[in-house]
Amino acid sequence: MPDALRRDVRLLGAMLGDGLVEFGGPDLLSDVERLRHAVIAARRGEAGADEPAAIVAGWSLERAGLVARAFTVYFHLTNLAEEHHRIRTLRERDARGAAVSGSVAAAVEAVRSESGEQRLAAMVDGLEFRPVFTAHPTEARRRAVVTSIQRISDLLFALDGQAEDGAEHAETERRMREEIDLLWRTALRRHTQMDPLDEVRTAMAAFDETIFRVVPRIYRTLDAALDDGRTGTRPPRVRPYLRFGSWIGGDRDGNPYVTAQVTREAVMIQSEHVLRALATMATRIGRELTVSDFTTRASDGLRAALGAARTANPVHLAEIAKRSPDEPHRQFLLHVSDRITATLERNADLAYANPDELLADLAVLQESLAEGGATRQAYGRVQDLIWQVETFGFHLAELEIRQHSELHEKALDEVRSGGPRSEMTEEILDTLRVVGWIQRRFGEAACRRYVVSFTRSAQDIANVHELAATLGDDAPVLDVIPLFETGEDLERAPSVLAGMLEIPAVRKRLDDTGRRMEVMLGYSDSAKQLGPTSATLRLYDTQEALAAFAAEHDITLTLFHGRGGSLGRGGGPANRAILAQAPGSVAGRFKVTEQGEVIFARYGQPQIALRHLEQVTNAVLLASTDAVQHRAREAAARFRPLADRISDAARESFRSLIETEGFASWFGRVSPLEEIAELRIGSRPSRRKAARGLEDLRAIPWVFAWTQTRVNLPGWYGLGSGLAAVSDDGRALDELREAYAEWPLFQTLLDNAEMSLAKTDRAIAERYLALGERPEMTSAVLEEYDRTRRLVLAVTGHELLLENRRVLSRAVELRNPYVDALSHLQLRALEALRSGTVTDESELAHLEDLLLLSVNGVAAGLQNTG
């Protein structure tokens, strides 16, 4: 471990230990340490594997709960230290000016060298990245816990710049102890259910604290790479290519709590946040823009704009002029700031009608500064503000609607019949009316995408257009997006698109948008249905087919990737995933869901958010080059027959497991599946329907529950059987190794499986699986784990899992013993609850509390939920 990281972990751990003594006396810390040493010794083979379980069994439930809380808080602090070290490393690289792998500059240089300046300019001009935030419930931490951790992080940063023997350092450490004590005493899980607007406000924290400020920095980074040394002194060469979206408050697929009124309130909350941020930024720049009319004479256009403002609001402008005499640029920008505030407050006398009016004023200001010779002022922070307006508008993120295809079909039947309409039908129509209202208030860009989940045919798309048309003049403009989720739906995708071209409303939208179309691909349900290996290849095939369809029909296609945070739901490093896409399917455009804990992991800190956006930008540019696509296309053609054989065997293995009679009830017994709902980490029910079958279980609790059992089955199961089917001899193994080295898709598939395997603990998983009292199923899972681990290592050439990714490997190795402690605590609760012998209400309550607290802790330790 790097020395600085080791120091931070030890400091935070020691402070927590002192806090435990202050709270519960030396015995509490002693119990925590006894379990810690026992799990470390067991993992090293220095003690029996049953010793940690025996220690846990000897405690009262109250004591077990306190120990679980201690390990959970420790993980929060360790995560904080690792994030802090990552930021420290990024800052040190920046200070050295070192070339960083995955940077924007590296991508620009690669494209320029391969394709020339003209091709580079065209690629940058067409670049798009659309991250869409969702409320999918995978962030297990309370907001109070997140903000407490952030305060401790700020103090840890402060320590870096202070002398260890100084009074300032001592005071910072005192405050850290105070904050760690507060974190220890804070309830770690929610006791009230979140509602959709709570989820909206939670997401706003990422926009307020990070994203709004980082957006101009990533544009500036690209602009500097295109023309090193001149950015900020000339008109930018970068067009804003980030467009944020949100499903939070718009996604009603299976969530009865997202209503038309919630959607309306969600966009109003977003608008309030972005207008306040824009006003603050404009005010700050305006107050500091003290160029005088003597050194930088205002243009005729700016003087005319000031004159018009003075005529319309003489008292207001007189007050600004009094504070800023002979500073017309400053006067004008402060006036602009006041108008943004008036827009927030809905003051009709001063408010802007739309973002275009604001951009027109900022263009007048920028042109005047440039004409006056103040190019650094024109293209510095004023340009940053222009980029922010262009990116966020007055709505911050496009609110997207999602609803299940079956409900549109039922609603349309009711509308056509002319009879009574159900509550759901009225709700769908009300939602469409609200979309129209949002467009009239904020423009079409604020809300026009309508995602139809479980799209089966073009008729599912036509149904939405027909429902919207029944509203007459209130009908919104819609881009209706098919979402293909099951294996069968993915195969049908090209034929569905062909049917969509016959729908008049779709043809009109193609004409209006320059033949642009969007298609969403679901990673979660396809993986739950087919297994991770076959789902990955099925998605690749679909991307390839849709890219060919788009080229044939002169359509500019954007594929919307519905990826989760976990590897079992299409997660993993975003830049690697982009480079593994089918040739022609990226073409400079990438849209993806950002879910749950991923939002704060990627966008919670400015430096990490900037690095993430750089890596995505790098990958989208590189994936769109002819050379990268050519290599991927050749590798796919060469190795696809091999991959198909792997996929067939992997799918058969996976389906054999989940189709075993009684699998769903067995899964419920061996995991905390049903109890996870009690964490109240989201407003959405864990099942689409009241049925208890596996098919109606959402992918998030499916993955979340397997993660808790330390099996991580959705990330690797079936791959071992697939590899075994083709690795009968050494020549086949050589071919697999060549595929791993040359085909990005196959490499990503194995690397992600390797990560899931590294987070699996066979010994502890066996104890969970035993709760199901189905030894044949336990054997099937463990044998497939052994097979997959052995063959993945054989193909990758690694002796140990994650051998080539030492930073990640170190993190997993260091965390595993501490996660073991929480797993033993969770197993104690789960075994008692599954035994059915506990009848005392108080004891049941304590067991459930211990179980849920340990679930929270394991999620923090593994940094994965669903």
Side-chain angles (χ1 to χ4, degrees):
M1 186 189 297
D3 291 340
L5 176 57
R6 178 183 288 108
R7 181 195 67 219
D8 291 342
V9 170
R10 287 179 173 173
L11 174 65
L12 294 168
M15 288 183 173
L16 174 61
D18 292 344
L20 296 181
V21 172
E22 291 174 6
F23 178 85
D27 287 348
L28 175 57
L29 179 59
S30 176
D31 283 343
V32 170
E33 286 295 291
R34 189 155 60 99
L35 180 57
R36 183 173 75 87
H37 288 299
V39 292
I40 291 173
R43 186 164 280 272
R44 291 175 176 170
E46 299 168 358
D50 293 335
E51 184 177 339
I55 292 173
V56 169
W59 289 329
S60 68
L61 287 174
E62 183 179 1
R63 174 63 81 181
L66 288 173
V67 174
R69 170 184 284 272
F71 277 99
T72 301
V73 173
Y74 175 77
F75 275 129
H76 288 320
L77 295 175
T78 302
N79 293 344
L80 179 161
E82 289 183 346
E83 181 179 80
H84 179 78
H85 185 70
R86 186 179 173 197
I87 294 168
R88 179 191 290 129
T89 302
L90 290 172
R91 286 176 171 174
E92 289 172 355
R93 286 175 179 173
D94 286 344
R96 294 196 306 267
V100 180
S101 173
S103 69
V104 166
V108 166
E109 187 54 39
V111 175
R112 180 180 278 135
S113 298
E114 178 198 318
S115 306
E117 198 69 40
Q118 187 173 357
R119 173 63 176 149
L120 171 63
M123 289 178 66
V124 169
D125 189 57
L127 186 65
E128 288 183 14
F129 175 39
R130 293 179 176 269
V132 179
F133 289 6
T134 80
H136 289 14
T138 63
E139 171 56 84
R141 299 174 301 176
R142 289 180 62 206
R143 185 64 193 151
V145 171
V146 173
T147 54
S148 177
I149 292 169
Q150 182 58 55
R151 291 193 298 270
I152 298 169
S153 177
D154 292 342
L155 292 168
L156 193 59
F157 274 116
L159 278 182
D160 281 346
Q162 297 172 355
E164 290 189 17
D165 57 350
E168 186 181 26
H169 190 276
E171 172 59 14
T172 302
E173 285 199 347
R174 184 200 66 75
R175 289 174 58 201
M176 283 182 66
R177 290 179 183 275
E178 179 184 350
E179 288 294 345
I180 290 172
D181 180 69
L182 179 60
L183 176 60
W184 163 257
R185 294 172 185 273
T186 297
L188 297 178
R189 64 183 183 88
R190 298 180 182 90
H191 291 279
T192 57
Q193 186 71 42
M194 290 186 77
D195 67 40
L197 293 180
D198 291 331
E199 294 168 332
V200 174
R201 295 185 183 96
T202 297
M204 288 302 98
F207 282 103
D208 293 344
E209 297 165 12
T210 302
I211 294 171
F212 185 79
R213 291 179 288 159
V214 165
V215 159
R217 288 179 61 188
I218 186 65
Y219 295 155
R220 188 70 68 184
T221 300
L222 179 54
D223 196 54
L226 292 170
D227 190 5
D228 189 31
R230 295 195 60 219
T231 186
T233 65
R234 45 120 179 101
R237 294 179 57 184
V238 174
R239 177 189 60 79
Y241 63 89
L242 280 168
R243 288 294 183 272
F244 289 88
S246 177
W247 280 11
I248 310 175
D251 179 12
R252 57 248 303 135
D253 178 13
N255 189 343
Y257 308 110
V258 177
T259 64
Q261 181 60 30
V262 165
T263 298
R264 180 187 175 110
E265 291 185 40
V267 80
M268 293 303 292
I269 291 170
Q270 291 182 182
S271 176
E272 177 185 343
H273 279 259
V274 72
L275 286 170
R276 184 174 289 114
L278 289 171
T280 299
M281 183 65 68
T283 299
R284 182 178 298 127
I285 299 171
R287 287 174 176 169
E288 297 171 2
L289 191 62
T290 52
V291 295
S292 73
D293 203 29
F294 174 74
T295 61
T296 313
R297 182 166 178 78
S299 68
D300 292 342
L302 185 77
R303 293 183 186 280
L306 268 175
R310 194 175 297 113
T311 299
N313 300 277
V315 176
H316 172 70
L317 266 294
E319 180 62 29
I320 293 177
K322 182 179 179 181
R323 299 196 307 266
S324 310
D326 300 320
E327 295 170 342
H329 295 95
R330 188 185 192 203
Q331 292 174 24
F332 188 66
L333 188 49
L334 290 174
H335 169 63
V336 165
S337 173
D338 287 343
R339 290 196 66 186
I340 299 172
T341 300
T343 308
L344 172 63
E345 297 172 350
R346 304 190 69 178
N347 178 349
D349 290 339
L350 274 176
Y352 283 109
N354 53 59
D356 289 340
E357 286 188 2
L358 170 57
L359 286 170
D361 276 353
L362 293 176
V364 169
L365 174 70
Q366 187 176 60
E367 289 164 7
S368 178
L369 287 166
E371 286 179 23
T375 55
R376 292 188 182 278
Q377 307 307 318
Y379 304 115
R381 284 181 299 167
V382 170
Q383 180 60 50
D384 290 349
L385 179 59
I386 290 172
W387 275 330
Q388 286 166 326
V389 178
E390 290 173 328
T391 299
F392 300 113
F394 288 172
H395 60 278
L396 196 150
E398 180 181 355
L399 193 61
E400 300 191 1
I401 309 299
R402 182 173 73 141
Q403 185 56 282
H404 199 290
S405 59
E406 289 181 359
L407 298 181
H408 301 132
E409 188 175 6
K410 293 174 183 176
L412 193 56
D413 285 343
E414 291 182 12
V415 170
R416 286 170 174 168
S417 72
R421 297 175 182 176
S422 65
E423 184 178 342
M424 178 53 70
T425 295
E426 291 294 353
E427 176 58 38
I428 289 173
L429 294 173
D430 284 345
T431 297
L432 291 167
R433 291 188 186 97
V434 165
V435 173
W437 176 85
I438 292 171
Q439 292 179 354
R440 291 188 293 275
R441 176 74 186 275
F442 297 102
E444 287 181 15
C447 184
R448 69 169 182 266
R449 286 175 166 83
Y450 196 114
V451 179
V452 180
S453 58
F454 290 95
T455 297
R456 302 152 299 180
S457 69
Q459 187 59 49
D460 290 328
I461 305 303
N463 290 345
V464 178
H465 282 295
E466 187 172 342
L467 283 167
T470 65
L471 302 180
D473 293 340
D474 291 333
V477 174
L478 293 179
D479 290 321
V480 184
I481 299 168
L483 167 51
F484 302 108
E485 302 188 68
T486 68
E488 296 80 6
D489 291 341
L490 287 167
E491 282 191 316
R492 284 195 295 264
S495 63
V496 172
L497 261 61
M500 287 174 59
L501 296 183
E502 302 302 315
I503 301 171
V506 172
R507 291 204 301 269
K508 183 178 186 306
R509 285 303 294 160
L510 286 172
D511 291 340
D512 292 345
T513 62
R515 299 193 64 76
R516 297 177 71 89
M517 180 182 282
E518 192 169 306
V519 173
M520 185 171 183
L521 306 176
Y523 285 64
S524 302
D525 284 281
S526 58
K528 183 163 71 79
Q529 179 195 28
L530 303 174
T533 305
S534 293
T536 297
L537 290 165
R538 183 71 57 86
L539 284 157
Y540 185 90
D541 288 344
T542 302
Q543 293 170 37
E544 196 171 48
L546 291 176
F549 177 91
E552 180 183 349
H553 293 87
D554 190 29
I555 290 171
T556 301
L557 178 69
T558 297
L559 291 178
F560 181 7
H561 300 269
R563 301 166 62 89
S566 64
L567 297 170
R569 297 182 51 242
N575 53 327
R576 294 187 183 207
I578 294 167
L579 289 167
Q581 302 305 305
S585 65
V586 177
R589 299 174 299 280
F590 189 66
K591 183 175 180 180
V592 67
T593 50
E594 303 277 32
Q595 303 180 6
E597 79 269 24
V598 172
I599 295 176
F600 288 99
R602 290 177 174 168
Y603 300 96
Q605 289 278 359
Q607 291 84 1
I608 291 176
L610 182 63
R611 173 63 173 161
H612 170 65
L613 293 174
E614 271 215 72
Q615 288 178 315
V616 171
T617 303
N618 169 285
V620 172
L621 286 171
L622 292 180
S624 305
T625 60
D626 293 338
V628 169
Q629 293 183 78
H630 177 71
R631 285 195 297 269
R633 191 175 287 110
E634 283 199 333
R638 178 182 173 191
F639 298 112
R640 189 52 199 262
L642 180 74
D644 285 339
R645 291 166 57 200
I646 294 171
S647 175
D648 290 344
R651 182 173 60 256
E652 182 179 346
S653 173
F654 184 83
R655 295 299 303 175
S656 176
L657 175 70
I658 67 172
E659 290 174 356
T660 301
E661 184 178 354
F663 175 84
S665 60
W666 174 79
F667 177 43
R669 283 187 59 80
V670 304
S671 73
L673 174 65
E674 300 304 330
E675 289 84 358
I676 283 172
E678 296 303 314
L679 282 175
R680 301 180 178 89
I681 60 176
S683 68
R684 192 173 71 164
S686 60
R687 295 180 184 273
R688 287 189 170 89
K689 301 175 183 177
R692 312 306 289 174
L694 190 64
E695 63 279 2
D696 292 310
L697 178 68
R698 290 188 182 277
I700 289 172
W702 159 258
V703 174
F704 197 163
W706 278 120
T707 302
Q708 290 290 313
T709 65
R710 308 292 295 283
V711 179
N712 281 319
L713 180 147
W716 54 262
Y717 197 92
L719 177 59
S721 293
L723 293 173
V726 299
S727 59
D728 299 331
D729 54 59
R731 191 171 64 178
L733 185 58
D734 288 343
E735 188 178 7
L736 287 169
R737 287 172 173 166
E738 289 173 9
Y740 178 73
E742 297 176 26
W743 191 12
L745 176 74
F746 194 66
Q747 183 180 90
T748 299
L749 174 65
L750 264 64
D751 285 348
N752 286 347
E754 189 175 16
M755 194 185 307
S756 285
L757 291 165
K759 290 187 176 183
T760 298
D761 185 274
R762 193 187 191 283
I764 290 179
E766 189 170 4
R767 287 193 60 191
Y768 280 94
L769 298 175
L771 293 174
E773 299 178 347
R774 295 281 300 272
E776 79 283 7
M777 296 182 74
T778 297
S779 295
V781 172
L782 295 179
E783 287 169 9
E784 183 66 13
Y785 166 78
D786 293 338
R787 185 182 301 113
T788 305
R789 186 180 188 279
R790 173 175 57 83
L791 291 173
V792 165
L793 289 174
V795 174
T796 60
H798 300 158
E799 293 185 12
L800 299 171
L801 294 171
L802 301 180
E803 181 181 288
N804 63 331
R805 302 172 70 180
R806 286 307 305 159
V807 173
L808 179 60
S809 175
R810 180 191 70 222
V812 172
E813 289 169 4
L814 291 172
R815 289 165 181 277
N816 272 337
Y818 299 89
V819 180
D820 292 350
L822 283 160
S823 292
H824 284 294
L825 289 158
Q826 185 178 115
L827 276 162
R828 175 181 173 181
L830 199 59
E831 287 167 349
L833 290 169
R834 295 294 182 266
S835 71
T837 60
V838 180
T839 57
D840 180 77
E841 292 296 327
S842 176
E843 186 176 357
L844 279 171
H846 275 96
L847 284 168
E848 289 169 357
D849 283 345
L850 174 59
L851 178 64
L852 293 174
L853 183 57
S854 65
V855 165
N856 197 299
V858 171
L862 295 176
Q863 295 183 298
N864 272 124
T865 52

